[in-house]
Amino acid sequence: MGIVVSMVCEAMPPGIVIDVGGGTAQTRVLWPVSWRYISIDPDERMAQLNDKHSIERKIGSAGSLPFENESVDVVLTQNTSHHLDDETWCAFLGDAHRVLKPEGTLIFMDAVLSKTRNISNVFWKLDAGHFQRTAEELQDAIASIFLITDTRQITLIHDVLTVTAKKS
Ligand SMILES: C[S@@+](CC[C@H](N)C(=O)[O-])C[C@H]1O[C@@H](n2cnc3c(N)ncnc32)[C@H](O)[C@@H]1O
């Protein structure tokens, strides 16, 4: 994720990044302080956290982002799509497209379903998220709305997919 964030930040001036399903907002440290960073998460406990870094927090869902049309430079989502049912996942992609500025960027990262990796399947059974998808399913959904500019995959316990995409 750090490499992808560096690539994106080098290509555009500082702006607004929203971290959808930001949780504890640990990715804030990857962004230059010149960027305004806003985490959106439905878990109200996250809004109570005392943050050391400049993190703004909103309570909300990926399926209905609390932002104006074309008001955001980067939509980031990390380790969250497997918590979203199909309806919310599709709504998220549409809403991410809506809130992004015309030159805006989507950064997606999540572990994927890989039916042949037994260790991965064991860990998925223990996971709090129940909507795992294959890399192909995720990329196809993103590509149906965005123009994908970069994809990466690494294998940890799970295969982890990172996709960077432009609005058009
Ligand atoms: C595994 S955590 C990832 C947190 C953070 N992005 C990270 O990488 O450390 C998944 C997060 O998704 C959030 N989440 C669950 N349902 C959501 C929804 N409908 N919209 C946005 N976030 C959601 C959870 O509250 C949780 O904070």
Side-chain angles (χ1 to χ4, degrees), residues 19-27 37 40-43 45-46 60-65 77-85 88 109-110 127:
D19 185 356
V20 180
T24 56
Q26 61 180 3
T27 48
Y37 177 98
I40 300 98
D41 200 287
D43 188 338
R45 292 171 302 174
M46 299 304 156
S61 170
S64 178
L65 297 172
T77 184
Q78 174 178 283
N79 302 328
T80 296
S81 71
H82 66 277
H83 291 265
L84 309 180
D85 62 25
T88 309
M109 191 186 97
D110 206 353
D127 200 284

Side-chain angles (χ1 to χ4, degrees), residues 110-130:
D110 206 353
V112 303
L113 190 60
S114 173
K115 289 173 185 151
T116 55
R117 280 180 53 74
N118 291 339
I119 182 73
S120 173
N121 289 324
V122 170
F123 274 82
W124 275 135
K125 284 192 171 61
L126 303 172
D127 200 284
H130 301 298

